Amino acid sequence: MSRRTPRLPSWLPVDPYIMALIGTVVLAALLPASGAAADVAGGASTGAVAFLFFLYGARLSTAEAVEGLKHWRLHLTVLACTFVAFPLLGLASRGLVPYVLTPQLQSGLLFLCLVPSTIQSSIAFTSIARGNVPAAICAGSFSSIAGIFVTPLLAAALLGNSGGGFSADALLKIGVQLLLPFLAGQLLRRWIGGFLTRHKKVLGLVDRGSILLVVYTAFSEGMVAGIWHQVTPARLGALLAVEAVLLAVMLALSWYGAKRLGFGREDRIAIQFAGSKKSLASGLPMASVLFGAQASLAVLPLMLFHQMQLMVCAVIAKRRARDPLEDTSGSAASREAAPVG
């Protein structure tokens, strides 16, 4: 009798990239970069962050962004979820210190709440659920662009010294490492956009490899500084429970709040998936700039939340896909085309 290899349920996606991130953390724990090696890794990480944001700028189609502005109510709703509702919940989590979360984990949780939304997974889940995919594309893009400006400013205002000591010098460093490469990518897009499109898969690997380098550098610094002695299994369990509540609140708020604002089913799906998610790709490089040696603890809540949102949103997307077809008639486009009276 043959034995079948056990498999994870199809609704429980374990992102291979998360496994690579975990492997990178383990490597940093066993073989942290120190001394001259740390200087080399730090310089390479700085260059990798700048290159990442250069690619973000070069890939963004200005024409598509302008076209997407036509659905401005939806985009403002997503931005409000990402940069207003999330940060308010993050601030409320200060009441959990020190009984549930340590100050360092709470700072990381608050930073998670300031990060922009995702693009790829929001589009994928919106498509599976038969939602407004063009709106999800534009909403994720607008959130990523806004995050380059808004996330550092919110971090400076809300995190204060817990974020590694924000100052005018720190904000200048953010502008040089994040904003200038992004703008350079936008300026050069007309000449290199075709090349990036043709080599999208290879550059995707470069993206992810760069982020792995950032993670290795951040966690190496944390190991050398000894900050991981501050985290216990009980604290990690508490962090997971808090993040589960945070995700549940944002999923409900984005879904039912969009209904109260008069959006139809397809738009509500796009708002829910774009408004309840946080970008690992944007958050990790930003944390390396904002937190310095404390970045390893700062990005831990984001890494955990990223995998949690993938698993939960996969379940929701597949359930939304089974909604009766007539429920889709309430979309914004349908309402506009419907006769009055």
Side-chain angles (χ1 to χ4, degrees), residues 158-189:
L158 302 181
L159 284 166
N161 291 331
S162 64
F166 291 101
S167 62
D169 182 66
L171 291 177
L172 178 62
K173 183 179 178 183
I174 291 166
V176 171
Q177 284 194 238
L178 307 182
L179 181 57
L180 286 183
F182 177 83
L183 295 177
Q186 272 285 284
L187 291 173
L188 296 176
R189 174 180 166 76

PDB file of all heavy atoms in Angstrom, residues 158-189:
ATOM      1  N   LEU A 158       5.372  59.657  15.376  1.00  0.00           N
ATOM      2  CA  LEU A 158       4.740  58.732  16.311  1.00  0.00           C
ATOM      3  C   LEU A 158       5.715  57.848  17.071  1.00  0.00           C
ATOM      4  O   LEU A 158       5.426  57.426  18.196  1.00  0.00           O
ATOM      5  CB  LEU A 158       3.735  57.842  15.558  1.00  0.00           C
ATOM      6  CG  LEU A 158       2.625  58.583  14.808  1.00  0.00           C
ATOM      7  CD1 LEU A 158       1.697  57.589  14.124  1.00  0.00           C
ATOM      8  CD2 LEU A 158       1.844  59.491  15.751  1.00  0.00           C
ATOM      9  N   LEU A 159       6.849  57.521  16.459  1.00  0.00           N
ATOM     10  CA  LEU A 159       7.801  56.634  17.112  1.00  0.00           C
ATOM     11  C   LEU A 159       8.809  57.385  17.967  1.00  0.00           C
ATOM     12  O   LEU A 159       9.295  56.872  18.971  1.00  0.00           O
ATOM     13  CB  LEU A 159       8.540  55.780  16.067  1.00  0.00           C
ATOM     14  CG  LEU A 159       7.727  54.627  15.491  1.00  0.00           C
ATOM     15  CD1 LEU A 159       8.400  54.065  14.249  1.00  0.00           C
ATOM     16  CD2 LEU A 159       7.553  53.527  16.524  1.00  0.00           C
ATOM     17  N   GLY A 160       9.174  58.590  17.533  1.00  0.00           N
ATOM     18  CA  GLY A 160      10.117  59.388  18.315  1.00  0.00           C
ATOM     19  C   GLY A 160      11.436  58.676  18.506  1.00  0.00           C
ATOM     20  O   GLY A 160      11.948  58.013  17.610  1.00  0.00           O
ATOM     21  N   ASN A 161      12.000  58.761  19.707  1.00  0.00           N
ATOM     22  CA  ASN A 161      13.306  58.168  19.983  1.00  0.00           C
ATOM     23  C   ASN A 161      13.289  56.653  19.960  1.00  0.00           C
ATOM     24  O   ASN A 161      14.327  56.015  19.811  1.00  0.00           O
ATOM     25  CB  ASN A 161      13.826  58.632  21.350  1.00  0.00           C
ATOM     26  CG  ASN A 161      14.193  60.103  21.334  1.00  0.00           C
ATOM     27  OD1 ASN A 161      14.568  60.628  20.290  1.00  0.00           O
ATOM     28  ND2 ASN A 161      14.076  60.761  22.480  1.00  0.00           N
ATOM     29  N   SER A 162      12.104  56.039  20.087  1.00  0.00           N
ATOM     30  CA  SER A 162      12.033  54.578  20.050  1.00  0.00           C
ATOM     31  C   SER A 162      12.348  54.046  18.676  1.00  0.00           C
ATOM     32  O   SER A 162      12.637  52.869  18.510  1.00  0.00           O
ATOM     33  CB  SER A 162      10.625  54.111  20.453  1.00  0.00           C
ATOM     34  OG  SER A 162       9.660  54.563  19.526  1.00  0.00           O
ATOM     35  N   GLY A 163      12.306  54.885  17.658  1.00  0.00           N
ATOM     36  CA  GLY A 163      12.626  54.451  16.311  1.00  0.00           C
ATOM     37  C   GLY A 163      14.063  54.660  15.943  1.00  0.00           C
ATOM     38  O   GLY A 163      14.414  54.617  14.776  1.00  0.00           O
ATOM     39  N   GLY A 164      14.949  54.861  16.912  1.00  0.00           N
ATOM     40  CA  GLY A 164      16.348  54.983  16.601  1.00  0.00           C
ATOM     41  C   GLY A 164      16.807  56.427  16.581  1.00  0.00           C
ATOM     42  O   GLY A 164      17.905  56.725  16.142  1.00  0.00           O
ATOM     43  N   GLY A 165      15.962  57.338  17.068  1.00  0.00           N
ATOM     44  CA  GLY A 165      16.381  58.718  17.156  1.00  0.00           C
ATOM     45  C   GLY A 165      16.174  59.484  15.870  1.00  0.00           C
ATOM     46  O   GLY A 165      17.097  59.728  15.116  1.00  0.00           O
ATOM     47  N   PHE A 166      14.942  59.844  15.554  1.00  0.00           N
ATOM     48  CA  PHE A 166      14.641  60.571  14.329  1.00  0.00           C
ATOM     49  C   PHE A 166      15.083  62.021  14.457  1.00  0.00           C
ATOM     50  O   PHE A 166      14.929  62.646  15.501  1.00  0.00           O
ATOM     51  CB  PHE A 166      13.149  60.491  14.005  1.00  0.00           C
ATOM     52  CG  PHE A 166      12.715  59.121  13.600  1.00  0.00           C
ATOM     53  CD1 PHE A 166      12.073  58.298  14.494  1.00  0.00           C
ATOM     54  CD2 PHE A 166      12.973  58.647  12.323  1.00  0.00           C
ATOM     55  CE1 PHE A 166      11.678  57.019  14.124  1.00  0.00           C
ATOM     56  CE2 PHE A 166      12.578  57.374  11.953  1.00  0.00           C
ATOM     57  CZ  PHE A 166      11.933  56.569  12.854  1.00  0.00           C
ATOM     58  N   SER A 167      15.615  62.550  13.376  1.00  0.00           N
ATOM     59  CA  SER A 167      16.115  63.919  13.358  1.00  0.00           C
ATOM     60  C   SER A 167      16.081  64.406  11.930  1.00  0.00           C
ATOM     61  O   SER A 167      15.747  63.655  10.998  1.00  0.00           O
ATOM     62  CB  SER A 167      17.546  63.969  13.900  1.00  0.00           C
ATOM     63  OG  SER A 167      18.409  63.199  13.069  1.00  0.00           O
ATOM     64  N   ALA A 168      16.443  65.680  11.749  1.00  0.00           N
ATOM     65  CA  ALA A 168      16.526  66.216  10.390  1.00  0.00           C
ATOM     66  C   ALA A 168      17.554  65.438   9.572  1.00  0.00           C
ATOM     67  O   ALA A 168      17.363  65.185   8.377  1.00  0.00           O
ATOM     68  CB  ALA A 168      16.890  67.701  10.447  1.00  0.00           C
ATOM     69  N   ASP A 169      18.634  65.011  10.223  1.00  0.00           N
ATOM     70  CA  ASP A 169      19.657  64.234   9.526  1.00  0.00           C
ATOM     71  C   ASP A 169      19.113  62.881   9.086  1.00  0.00           C
ATOM     72  O   ASP A 169      19.406  62.399   7.993  1.00  0.00           O
ATOM     73  CB  ASP A 169      20.864  64.044  10.437  1.00  0.00           C
ATOM     74  CG  ASP A 169      21.991  63.290   9.750  1.00  0.00           C
ATOM     75  OD1 ASP A 169      22.563  63.831   8.784  1.00  0.00           O
ATOM     76  OD2 ASP A 169      22.292  62.161  10.182  1.00  0.00           O
ATOM     77  N   ALA A 170      18.298  62.278   9.965  1.00  0.00           N
ATOM     78  CA  ALA A 170      17.713  60.974   9.618  1.00  0.00           C
ATOM     79  C   ALA A 170      16.751  61.108   8.437  1.00  0.00           C
ATOM     80  O   ALA A 170      16.741  60.269   7.524  1.00  0.00           O
ATOM     81  CB  ALA A 170      16.988  60.396  10.828  1.00  0.00           C
ATOM     82  N   LEU A 171      15.947  62.170   8.431  1.00  0.00           N
ATOM     83  CA  LEU A 171      15.015  62.372   7.322  1.00  0.00           C
ATOM     84  C   LEU A 171      15.768  62.660   6.022  1.00  0.00           C
ATOM     85  O   LEU A 171      15.349  62.225   4.940  1.00  0.00           O
ATOM     86  CB  LEU A 171      14.067  63.526   7.650  1.00  0.00           C
ATOM     87  CG  LEU A 171      13.059  63.257   8.772  1.00  0.00           C
ATOM     88  CD1 LEU A 171      12.233  64.495   9.056  1.00  0.00           C
ATOM     89  CD2 LEU A 171      12.154  62.078   8.418  1.00  0.00           C
ATOM     90  N   LEU A 172      16.894  63.381   6.132  1.00  0.00           N
ATOM     91  CA  LEU A 172      17.718  63.612   4.942  1.00  0.00           C
ATOM     92  C   LEU A 172      18.269  62.298   4.399  1.00  0.00           C
ATOM     93  O   LEU A 172      18.295  62.076   3.189  1.00  0.00           O
ATOM     94  CB  LEU A 172      18.859  64.572   5.288  1.00  0.00           C
ATOM     95  CG  LEU A 172      19.846  64.877   4.156  1.00  0.00           C
ATOM     96  CD1 LEU A 172      19.131  65.558   2.998  1.00  0.00           C
ATOM     97  CD2 LEU A 172      20.992  65.747   4.675  1.00  0.00           C
ATOM     98  N   LYS A 173      18.692  61.438   5.306  1.00  0.00           N
ATOM     99  CA  LYS A 173      19.204  60.129   4.906  1.00  0.00           C
ATOM    100  C   LYS A 173      18.122  59.319   4.201  1.00  0.00           C
ATOM    101  O   LYS A 173      18.378  58.634   3.205  1.00  0.00           O
ATOM    102  CB  LYS A 173      19.698  59.387   6.147  1.00  0.00           C
ATOM    103  CG  LYS A 173      20.337  58.033   5.863  1.00  0.00           C
ATOM    104  CD  LYS A 173      20.811  57.394   7.160  1.00  0.00           C
ATOM    105  CE  LYS A 173      21.409  56.016   6.903  1.00  0.00           C
ATOM    106  NZ  LYS A 173      21.810  55.354   8.164  1.00  0.00           N
ATOM    107  N   ILE A 174      16.894  59.397   4.711  1.00  0.00           N
ATOM    108  CA  ILE A 174      15.769  58.701   4.085  1.00  0.00           C
ATOM    109  C   ILE A 174      15.546  59.235   2.675  1.00  0.00           C
ATOM    110  O   ILE A 174      15.327  58.473   1.731  1.00  0.00           O
ATOM    111  CB  ILE A 174      14.500  58.870   4.943  1.00  0.00           C
ATOM    112  CG1 ILE A 174      14.652  58.104   6.249  1.00  0.00           C
ATOM    113  CG2 ILE A 174      13.261  58.395   4.185  1.00  0.00           C
ATOM    114  CD1 ILE A 174      13.622  58.477   7.290  1.00  0.00           C
ATOM    115  N   GLY A 175      15.600  60.573   2.528  1.00  0.00           N
ATOM    116  CA  GLY A 175      15.403  61.153   1.206  1.00  0.00           C
ATOM    117  C   GLY A 175      16.462  60.701   0.214  1.00  0.00           C
ATOM    118  O   GLY A 175      16.160  60.395  -0.946  1.00  0.00           O
ATOM    119  N   VAL A 176      17.708  60.627   0.668  1.00  0.00           N
ATOM    120  CA  VAL A 176      18.808  60.242  -0.222  1.00  0.00           C
ATOM    121  C   VAL A 176      18.713  58.761  -0.587  1.00  0.00           C
ATOM    122  O   VAL A 176      18.914  58.382  -1.745  1.00  0.00           O
ATOM    123  CB  VAL A 176      20.162  60.544   0.451  1.00  0.00           C
ATOM    124  CG1 VAL A 176      21.314  59.951  -0.361  1.00  0.00           C
ATOM    125  CG2 VAL A 176      20.354  62.051   0.601  1.00  0.00           C
ATOM    126  N   GLN A 177      18.388  57.908   0.382  1.00  0.00           N
ATOM    127  CA  GLN A 177      18.383  56.469   0.126  1.00  0.00           C
ATOM    128  C   GLN A 177      17.091  55.974  -0.519  1.00  0.00           C
ATOM    129  O   GLN A 177      17.116  54.959  -1.232  1.00  0.00           O
ATOM    130  CB  GLN A 177      18.595  55.703   1.433  1.00  0.00           C
ATOM    131  CG  GLN A 177      20.034  55.718   1.913  1.00  0.00           C
ATOM    132  CD  GLN A 177      20.249  54.682   3.004  1.00  0.00           C
ATOM    133  OE1 GLN A 177      20.664  55.024   4.100  1.00  0.00           O
ATOM    134  NE2 GLN A 177      19.954  53.443   2.726  1.00  0.00           N
ATOM    135  N   LEU A 178      15.965  56.661  -0.281  1.00  0.00           N
ATOM    136  CA  LEU A 178      14.684  56.159  -0.779  1.00  0.00           C
ATOM    137  C   LEU A 178      14.080  57.041  -1.865  1.00  0.00           C
ATOM    138  O   LEU A 178      13.712  56.560  -2.942  1.00  0.00           O
ATOM    139  CB  LEU A 178      13.682  56.019   0.378  1.00  0.00           C
ATOM    140  CG  LEU A 178      14.109  55.202   1.595  1.00  0.00           C
ATOM    141  CD1 LEU A 178      12.967  55.136   2.597  1.00  0.00           C
ATOM    142  CD2 LEU A 178      14.569  53.818   1.201  1.00  0.00           C
ATOM    143  N   LEU A 179      13.961  58.330  -1.574  1.00  0.00           N
ATOM    144  CA  LEU A 179      13.243  59.218  -2.482  1.00  0.00           C
ATOM    145  C   LEU A 179      14.030  59.510  -3.756  1.00  0.00           C
ATOM    146  O   LEU A 179      13.478  59.425  -4.867  1.00  0.00           O
ATOM    147  CB  LEU A 179      12.891  60.511  -1.771  1.00  0.00           C
ATOM    148  CG  LEU A 179      12.114  61.547  -2.589  1.00  0.00           C
ATOM    149  CD1 LEU A 179      10.822  60.948  -3.124  1.00  0.00           C
ATOM    150  CD2 LEU A 179      11.828  62.783  -1.751  1.00  0.00           C
ATOM    151  N   LEU A 180      15.300  59.866  -3.636  1.00  0.00           N
ATOM    152  CA  LEU A 180      16.088  60.199  -4.826  1.00  0.00           C
ATOM    153  C   LEU A 180      16.189  59.024  -5.801  1.00  0.00           C
ATOM    154  O   LEU A 180      16.016  59.210  -7.015  1.00  0.00           O
ATOM    155  CB  LEU A 180      17.473  60.694  -4.414  1.00  0.00           C
ATOM    156  CG  LEU A 180      17.529  62.106  -3.820  1.00  0.00           C
ATOM    157  CD1 LEU A 180      18.969  62.503  -3.528  1.00  0.00           C
ATOM    158  CD2 LEU A 180      16.873  63.118  -4.748  1.00  0.00           C
ATOM    159  N   PRO A 181      16.477  57.795  -5.344  1.00  0.00           N
ATOM    160  CA  PRO A 181      16.482  56.674  -6.291  1.00  0.00           C
ATOM    161  C   PRO A 181      15.132  56.455  -6.970  1.00  0.00           C
ATOM    162  O   PRO A 181      15.071  56.140  -8.161  1.00  0.00           O
ATOM    163  CB  PRO A 181      16.857  55.473  -5.412  1.00  0.00           C
ATOM    164  CG  PRO A 181      17.599  56.061  -4.278  1.00  0.00           C
ATOM    165  CD  PRO A 181      16.946  57.378  -4.016  1.00  0.00           C
ATOM    166  N   PHE A 182      14.046  56.646  -6.199  1.00  0.00           N
ATOM    167  CA  PHE A 182      12.707  56.488  -6.776  1.00  0.00           C
ATOM    168  C   PHE A 182      12.478  57.509  -7.895  1.00  0.00           C
ATOM    169  O   PHE A 182      12.003  57.162  -8.987  1.00  0.00           O
ATOM    170  CB  PHE A 182      11.651  56.649  -5.684  1.00  0.00           C
ATOM    171  CG  PHE A 182      10.244  56.583  -6.184  1.00  0.00           C
ATOM    172  CD1 PHE A 182       9.619  55.369  -6.380  1.00  0.00           C
ATOM    173  CD2 PHE A 182       9.530  57.740  -6.479  1.00  0.00           C
ATOM    174  CE1 PHE A 182       8.312  55.302  -6.863  1.00  0.00           C
ATOM    175  CE2 PHE A 182       8.238  57.694  -6.948  1.00  0.00           C
ATOM    176  CZ  PHE A 182       7.631  56.468  -7.145  1.00  0.00           C
ATOM    177  N   LEU A 183      12.814  58.775  -7.634  1.00  0.00           N
ATOM    178  CA  LEU A 183      12.638  59.815  -8.642  1.00  0.00           C
ATOM    179  C   LEU A 183      13.542  59.570  -9.851  1.00  0.00           C
ATOM    180  O   LEU A 183      13.138  59.814 -10.994  1.00  0.00           O
ATOM    181  CB  LEU A 183      12.922  61.183  -8.027  1.00  0.00           C
ATOM    182  CG  LEU A 183      11.953  61.644  -6.935  1.00  0.00           C
ATOM    183  CD1 LEU A 183      12.402  62.978  -6.353  1.00  0.00           C
ATOM    184  CD2 LEU A 183      10.535  61.746  -7.484  1.00  0.00           C
ATOM    185  N   ALA A 184      14.755  59.082  -9.606  1.00  0.00           N
ATOM    186  CA  ALA A 184      15.662  58.769 -10.718  1.00  0.00           C
ATOM    187  C   ALA A 184      15.069  57.674 -11.598  1.00  0.00           C
ATOM    188  O   ALA A 184      15.157  57.727 -12.832  1.00  0.00           O
ATOM    189  CB  ALA A 184      17.024  58.349 -10.181  1.00  0.00           C
ATOM    190  N   GLY A 185      14.444  56.675 -10.967  1.00  0.00           N
ATOM    191  CA  GLY A 185      13.800  55.616 -11.735  1.00  0.00           C
ATOM    192  C   GLY A 185      12.671  56.136 -12.591  1.00  0.00           C
ATOM    193  O   GLY A 185      12.505  55.731 -13.748  1.00  0.00           O
ATOM    194  N   GLN A 186      11.876  57.064 -12.022  1.00  0.00           N
ATOM    195  CA  GLN A 186      10.789  57.671 -12.791  1.00  0.00           C
ATOM    196  C   GLN A 186      11.321  58.451 -13.991  1.00  0.00           C
ATOM    197  O   GLN A 186      10.779  58.357 -15.098  1.00  0.00           O
ATOM    198  CB  GLN A 186       9.983  58.602 -11.892  1.00  0.00           C
ATOM    199  CG  GLN A 186       8.846  57.935 -11.149  1.00  0.00           C
ATOM    200  CD  GLN A 186       7.664  57.629 -12.049  1.00  0.00           C
ATOM    201  OE1 GLN A 186       6.887  58.503 -12.413  1.00  0.00           O
ATOM    202  NE2 GLN A 186       7.506  56.361 -12.413  1.00  0.00           N
ATOM    203  N   LEU A 187      12.392  59.200 -13.792  1.00  0.00           N
ATOM    204  CA  LEU A 187      12.960  60.012 -14.876  1.00  0.00           C
ATOM    205  C   LEU A 187      13.534  59.137 -15.989  1.00  0.00           C
ATOM    206  O   LEU A 187      13.468  59.500 -17.169  1.00  0.00           O
ATOM    207  CB  LEU A 187      14.054  60.933 -14.320  1.00  0.00           C
ATOM    208  CG  LEU A 187      13.568  62.067 -13.403  1.00  0.00           C
ATOM    209  CD1 LEU A 187      14.754  62.805 -12.793  1.00  0.00           C
ATOM    210  CD2 LEU A 187      12.670  63.039 -14.178  1.00  0.00           C
ATOM    211  N   LEU A 188      14.084  57.979 -15.637  1.00  0.00           N
ATOM    212  CA  LEU A 188      14.728  57.114 -16.632  1.00  0.00           C
ATOM    213  C   LEU A 188      13.783  56.058 -17.188  1.00  0.00           C
ATOM    214  O   LEU A 188      14.194  55.269 -18.052  1.00  0.00           O
ATOM    215  CB  LEU A 188      15.953  56.427 -16.010  1.00  0.00           C
ATOM    216  CG  LEU A 188      17.097  57.354 -15.585  1.00  0.00           C
ATOM    217  CD1 LEU A 188      18.204  56.561 -14.894  1.00  0.00           C
ATOM    218  CD2 LEU A 188      17.658  58.096 -16.803  1.00  0.00           C
ATOM    219  N   ARG A 189      12.536  56.056 -16.727  1.00  0.00           N
ATOM    220  CA  ARG A 189      11.603  55.002 -17.145  1.00  0.00           C
ATOM    221  C   ARG A 189      11.421  54.944 -18.656  1.00  0.00           C
ATOM    222  O   ARG A 189      11.344  53.859 -19.234  1.00  0.00           O
ATOM    223  CB  ARG A 189      10.247  55.221 -16.455  1.00  0.00           C
ATOM    224  CG  ARG A 189       9.188  54.256 -16.956  1.00  0.00           C
ATOM    225  CD  ARG A 189       7.852  54.465 -16.286  1.00  0.00           C
ATOM    226  NE  ARG A 189       6.823  53.759 -17.023  1.00  0.00           N
ATOM    227  CZ  ARG A 189       6.636  52.446 -16.978  1.00  0.00           C
ATOM    228  NH1 ARG A 189       7.406  51.690 -16.224  1.00  0.00           N
ATOM    229  NH2 ARG A 189       5.692  51.879 -17.698  1.00  0.00           N
TER     230      ARG A 189
END
